[in-house]
Amino acid sequence: MRDDPPDEPNENIVHFNPWRDFNDAAPQIDVFGDEPDPAQIAQFMQVVFGYCDALIPVRSFIDKGQGIDGRPHNIWIVADQAAPEKMATFATWASREGAAVYVIPGTVAAPGQAKAADILQMQTVVVDLDTGDIAARRAHLERHLGAPSMVVESGGVTAEGQRKCHVWWALTEPAEGDDIARICRLRGDIAAKVGGDMHFRSAHQPIRVAGSVYYKNHLKTQVRIVELNADRERDLAEFIEAVTDMPPAPGVSLQPAFTHPDKPAMDEVLVTPVREGGADDWSRFEGASAAIGHFIRMVHEGRMTKNEGWEGICGYNAAMLRPQWPVERLKRESERLWERHVEKYGPPLIRLDSGAPGPVEMPAFTLGALLDDRSPMPEDIIAPRVLTPGGLLVLGGAPKVGKSDLLISWLVHMAAGVPFLGFTPPRPLRIFYLQAEIQYHYLRERMRQIALSPEVLVAARDTFVATPKLKMLLDTQGSVRIARAVRAAFPDAPPDILCVDPIRNLFDGGPDGGGENDNTAMMFFLKERVEVLRDHIDPDCGVILIHHTKKLSKHQVKEDPFLALSGASALRGFYTSGLILHRPDEDLSERKLEIELRNGPALPPKVIDKVGGQWVEINPMNERLVRAEAGAKHDAERMRKHDVILGLLYEEARRGKLYTLAQFSEAFENTGGLGGRTIVHDRLSVLATKGKVKFIRGPAATRIGLAAERSKYGYLCVEGMLFGTGVETVDPDTGEVTPELIPVLPSHYKSPQTGAVLPVENPSVWVYQEEDEA
């Protein structure tokens, strides 16, 4: 170390003398944090400065978030065998002051020098990983560049909870002169490809010393070496080639948006020369990548042909890169960026004169050609013509009407190759169910709750693939994610059906941000999102979209149920099949499935319901056609009156009162909403015909103390009737007094065929006439 250098500046510099400025008392142990580690400091100094001469610029200052102030302290340490010990002494002093310790990873000739132009030697290449998936980026670096010489955890933690780190590669010898510029360019290229700190493109960028202490936001921890391969050294030329061939890490933007403040705008990029060795504000890699990215976007958006784009890239290379890249490297980088751009933003809008694959002319056929074409029709994905190859089916319904339940049952049957409600697949279908409503655990619960036969479940185990609730839009980025998931789910063959449930949760209305009720936004979604995704997966893939309906009156639904679809005028004109699920009567469980086909003859609506947990089709002949709602109310009222009559007969018998048909009609006229005497009489007659009311007459009546009667039928009797005799019994154990009740069994019944009164064969067995007929 040099003491009292004559040319040392006075501003922000403290002269370092361990005898004058520090005492030699034993350092105190801080029980609240780590202390500097001299062993790690020595290892760090060997890797970073082991071959270097001259002076090492060292700097300390108070880290942010501690609530204390302090001015920076700058010293220069000679790069010799005593340097590790001096650095450890300085780090110990800085730790007591709450200050962090940094070095510039290069040496300078004189104290006070620390600018980029002052750097004489550098023997390492470093990248600072401080954002994103650090573990994945470290793995990417090791896979393409080999094991590093040293990895240092800097003390900071990312928002995702990963520890920030510095990755070091030591060189076989110190770099000097123009090679220092190459190292700086190399540091910038590595940072650009893995999302590192781009400030290390500058030679004078300081970095924390391993073994020192990190102070920030009241956190005190040691800057630690977590990996050390001190004997691992790299030749600079070979390392440059390895970095050049290394692709960007996954998740790192391939559209060069480097954060260097001096990066020129795109108009300037195309006319700004870039020289080798980092002589300019940004590297040739950054310049070439930006220019290539510009021309790729022009081609992708259809504003240039592929030939024009390649000519532009070559022209930039020839005019602005000095020296220019080899054509092979230029081509390799262009093709790589093109593939990533398409992967991220979807299929390109290729200009027709680009020579790209695809139809150049619009197909058109004469009437004769259409009449003469006798080739077989394409096989329906779901027959009859409900979903055809490349077709779009929309299933709409109000919330809670049962769309998702019906849909899952339908799709699982199709995946098993089993008909469902008259809809038939030609074979077991491959189905990708993209749903954005039900979270994973509730989705698996829903799958178990749906009543499906074991044979169907076994057949559909591998052909039905569903996503848990998605939190994304079906925009360009979302389409790429979905396409990847579909390819991963069905690697051998594309799916037959892609189902999106519901439109609302994934809707992307385009640049104007329109909603699903905006016809322009709906058309954008269908053409630019759904169709593009379908064509990317398989042009013959059928698409099913699940959509909510808006509130319509029952008359409007009856007149045209498909007007209920949100964004109907655009959506209805686009789909090939439309299905609407609705309840004609909210008091009934039956649903009606309206069907509209573009590619086939009309299908009558289906009346469906869940019976025993399974969806079944109900014979429409059993459905009331005229005044269905009013008729259902009348049915319910009749059932209520029947229940009231049966209840009255049972309760009156317990009180010791039995009635003939005429007596009951008169006694309970207008009771409990039964209506007049005639209405009560008619209801009793119906109940007798159905076997719910029977009779006691003759000896059977007198045996239980009833008076002889002259009516045609006798006394009314219901199942389980008990007759109160008026006698009270006393429990000998408890002394409780209870009325005596004796069972009342019928002796006669009304014949449902003739109305005649016939004797009951077995009074102990109650027979209902409806059950006999069923």
Side-chain angles (χ1 to χ4, degrees):
M1 186 185 316
R2 301 181 181 180
D3 296 332
D4 301 321
D7 56 347
E8 178 177 338
N10 292 324
E11 183 179 358
N12 287 337
I13 295 175
V14 173
H15 169 60
F16 177 68
N17 186 316
W19 301 108
R20 189 183 71 189
D21 294 338
F22 304 95
N23 62 56
D24 58 356
Q28 296 179 356
I29 298 176
D30 183 356
V31 297
F32 298 105
D34 295 321
E35 292 296 317
D37 184 348
Q40 290 195 61
I41 291 175
Q43 292 168 338
F44 175 85
M45 297 294 286
Q46 178 61 34
V47 171
V48 182
F49 301 105
Y51 298 145
C52 290
D53 298 320
L55 300 178
I56 302 169
V58 185
R59 179 180 177 87
S60 74
F61 56 84
I62 303 297
D63 269 331
K64 296 179 181 179
Q66 300 185 72
I68 58 176
D69 297 322
R71 63 192 181 95
H73 298 273
N74 302 324
I75 65 169
W76 283 258
I77 297 176
V78 177
D80 57 14
Q81 293 182 350
E85 182 181 357
K86 296 173 182 177
M87 181 64 78
T89 303
F90 184 76
T92 300
W93 170 82
S95 175
R96 292 170 178 167
E97 296 294 319
V101 180
Y102 292 78
V103 295
I104 292 174
T107 55
V108 297
Q113 295 181 346
K115 296 180 180 178
D118 297 330
I119 306 300
L120 297 179
Q121 292 182 327
M122 299 182 83
Q123 70 175 59
T124 56
V125 178
V126 63
V127 61
D128 179 6
L129 302 179
D130 56 2
T131 59
D133 190 344
I134 291 176
R137 294 177 183 184
R138 275 186 60 186
H140 183 82
L141 288 170
E142 291 195 22
R143 184 164 54 251
H144 294 281
L145 303 182
S149 305
M150 180 173 62
V151 179
V152 176
E153 287 185 351
S154 61
V157 179
T158 67
E160 297 79 14
Q162 295 198 35
R163 294 185 179 276
K164 302 178 182 181
C165 68
H166 306 146
V167 184
W168 297 84
W169 291 269
L171 301 176
T172 55
E173 58 182 356
E176 300 177 348
D178 292 341
D179 283 342
I180 291 179
R182 291 187 176 90
I183 287 179
C184 293
R185 176 182 61 80
L186 203 58
R187 298 197 311 190
D189 288 354
I190 295 173
K193 290 187 175 185
V194 296
D197 187 346
M198 292 299 297
H199 289 92
F200 283 87
R201 295 167 19 59
S202 302
H204 64 295
Q205 177 66 26
I207 194 166
R208 290 182 186 268
V209 174
S212 65
V213 178
Y214 170 99
Y215 293 89
K216 261 190 182 181
N217 303 317
H218 304 289
L219 173 65
K220 179 182 180 183
T221 186
Q222 193 179 85
V223 182
R224 291 183 173 87
I225 297 176
V226 294
E227 182 178 342
L228 183 64
N229 306 296
D231 57 346
R232 177 69 171 168
E233 299 176 345
R234 305 297 297 271
D235 176 78
L236 179 59
E238 293 178 355
F239 197 54
I240 289 174
E241 291 182 6
V243 173
T244 300
D245 292 336
M246 180 180 70
V252 175
S253 174
L254 295 172
Q255 291 303 311
F258 304 108
T259 58
H260 193 277
D262 297 326
K263 170 190 168 183
M266 181 52 63
D267 291 342
E268 298 174 351
V269 166
L270 301 178
V271 295
T272 301
V274 187
R275 293 168 290 177
E276 187 180 26
D280 300 291
D281 287 330
W282 63 338
S283 69
R284 288 192 307 157
F285 170 77
E286 294 171 316
S289 297
I292 292 171
H294 166 74
F295 289 110
I296 281 176
R297 286 192 298 274
M298 297 290 285
V299 174
H300 187 269
E301 295 170 5
R303 292 185 284 175
M304 277 187 174
T305 67
K306 281 191 173 181
N307 288 336
E308 292 170 345
W310 175 243
E311 290 174 1
I313 292 171
C314 292
Y316 173 85
N317 183 47
M320 299 300 155
L321 296 188
R322 301 175 183 175
Q324 60 184 279
W325 276 4
V327 174
E328 285 304 315
R329 179 182 179 185
L330 194 69
K331 183 178 181 181
R332 185 172 66 247
E333 188 71 8
S334 300
E335 290 176 350
R336 181 181 62 79
L337 289 179
W338 171 259
E339 291 175 1
R340 294 299 180 88
H341 191 88
V342 171
E343 184 179 12
K344 183 175 182 180
Y345 295 105
L349 182 63
I350 300 294
R351 287 264 295 271
L352 292 178
D353 56 349
S354 65
V360 176
E361 298 179 358
M362 181 183 297
F365 305 96
T366 64
L367 174 62
L370 295 173
L371 294 175
D372 295 340
D373 187 351
R374 301 291 182 174
S375 60
M377 292 296 293
E379 188 176 41
D380 292 343
I381 298 176
I382 300 177
R385 302 289 178 92
V386 175
L387 185 60
T388 52
L392 176 67
L393 184 153
V394 175
L395 170 61
K400 306 303 180 183
V401 77
K403 292 190 304 298
S404 294
D405 193 278
L406 173 68
L407 176 69
I408 293 174
S409 296
W410 186 11
L411 292 180
V412 172
H413 277 82
M414 297 300 99
V418 177
F420 178 77
L421 300 179
F423 302 132
T424 307
R427 52 176 171 75
L429 302 178
R430 297 177 299 275
I431 297 174
F432 193 89
Y433 179 37
L434 183 73
Q435 69 90 25
E437 280 193 324
I438 309 172
Q439 295 171 318
Y440 170 76
H441 295 292
Y442 307 100
L443 177 64
R444 63 187 178 93
E445 181 183 55
R446 172 75 69 87
M447 293 298 181
R448 292 193 183 98
Q449 290 174 345
I450 294 177
L452 297 171
S453 68
E455 295 79 9
V456 170
L457 293 175
V458 169
R461 284 185 68 91
D462 298 323
T463 52
F464 176 84
V465 177
T467 67
K469 180 178 180 179
L470 298 176
K471 298 179 180 179
M472 55 176 283
L473 294 179
L474 189 56
D475 52 13
T476 301
Q477 185 176 1
S479 297
V480 172
R481 291 177 58 192
I482 293 168
R484 288 175 180 167
V486 171
R487 283 197 296 270
F490 298 104
D492 300 327
D496 299 294
I497 296 176
L498 173 67
C499 181
V500 178
D501 179 17
I503 291 177
R504 174 178 298 173
N505 291 7
L506 296 166
F507 188 81
D508 174 35
D512 295 333
E516 63 192 58
N517 292 318
D518 184 330
N519 285 328
T520 301
M522 176 62 74
M523 189 59 69
F524 175 89
F525 177 75
L526 295 172
K527 282 189 172 183
E528 303 299 329
R529 298 304 185 223
V530 175
E531 279 204 332
V532 169
L533 177 61
R534 190 264 315 280
D535 292 344
H536 187 74
I537 295 172
D538 181 16
D540 289 333
C541 175
V543 176
I544 298 177
L545 301 180
I546 310 305
H547 201 27
H548 293 302
T549 53
K550 54 193 176 184
K551 188 69 174 178
L552 293 181
S553 67
K554 292 190 178 296
H555 176 73
Q556 289 174 311
V557 172
K558 181 179 179 181
E559 289 295 321
D560 191 348
F562 295 92
L563 290 177
L565 289 171
S566 299
S569 59
L571 186 60
R572 191 176 184 184
F574 200 86
Y575 62 61
T576 57
S577 304
L579 279 72
I580 295 291
L581 184 67
H582 66 99
R583 288 181 188 265
D585 191 328
E586 295 298 328
D587 296 328
L588 300 179
S589 61
E590 290 89 351
R591 284 84 155 176
K592 181 172 282 188
L593 190 62
E594 310 281 353
I595 306 171
E596 183 177 55
L597 303 182
R598 295 274 189 273
N599 293 342
L603 294 179
K606 295 178 180 289
V607 179
I608 61 176
D609 198 0
K610 291 194 74 174
V611 177
Q614 294 187 337
W615 290 94
V616 297
E617 185 174 0
I618 298 174
N619 187 344
M621 296 300 294
N622 296 332
E623 184 186 11
R624 182 183 274 114
L625 300 179
V626 179
R627 295 178 58 81
E629 186 175 347
K633 291 180 179 179
H634 291 320
D635 291 343
E637 176 62 15
R638 281 190 289 269
M639 292 300 298
R640 187 194 68 81
K641 290 179 179 179
H642 289 176
D643 292 341
V644 171
I645 290 171
L646 296 175
L648 286 172
L649 287 171
Y650 182 84
E651 293 297 331
E652 288 293 305
R654 292 176 67 90
R655 290 197 288 266
K657 296 181 180 180
L658 270 67
Y659 298 87
T660 64
L661 195 152
Q663 289 173 328
F664 184 89
S665 301
E666 293 173 356
F668 293 98
E669 180 182 30
N670 294 323
T671 299
L674 293 178
R677 179 178 59 84
T678 303
I679 293 176
V680 177
H681 189 282
D682 290 344
R683 291 297 97 209
L684 279 169
S685 181
V686 171
L687 288 170
T689 299
K690 291 183 176 182
K692 295 183 178 181
V693 170
K694 297 184 182 182
F695 308 99
I696 307 170
R697 59 181 299 186
T702 58
R703 276 197 298 269
I704 60 174
L706 296 176
E709 33 66 39
R710 298 180 180 178
S711 70
K712 175 183 177 181
Y713 297 108
Y715 293 101
L716 302 175
C717 175
V718 298
E719 185 179 14
M721 179 180 278
L722 297 173
F723 178 62
T725 62
V727 178
E728 295 181 342
T729 60
V730 179
D731 189 311
D733 296 326
T734 64
E736 182 182 3
V737 179
T738 57
E740 182 185 48
L741 298 174
I742 60 174
V744 180
L745 301 177
S747 62
H748 291 74
Y749 73 98
K750 180 181 178 181
S751 170
Q753 285 80 27
T754 64
V757 180
L758 303 176
V760 173
E761 294 182 5
N762 186 351
S764 300
V765 179
W766 194 283
V767 178
Y768 291 97
Q769 298 302 328
E770 286 184 321
E771 294 180 351
D772 288 346
E773 292 173 1

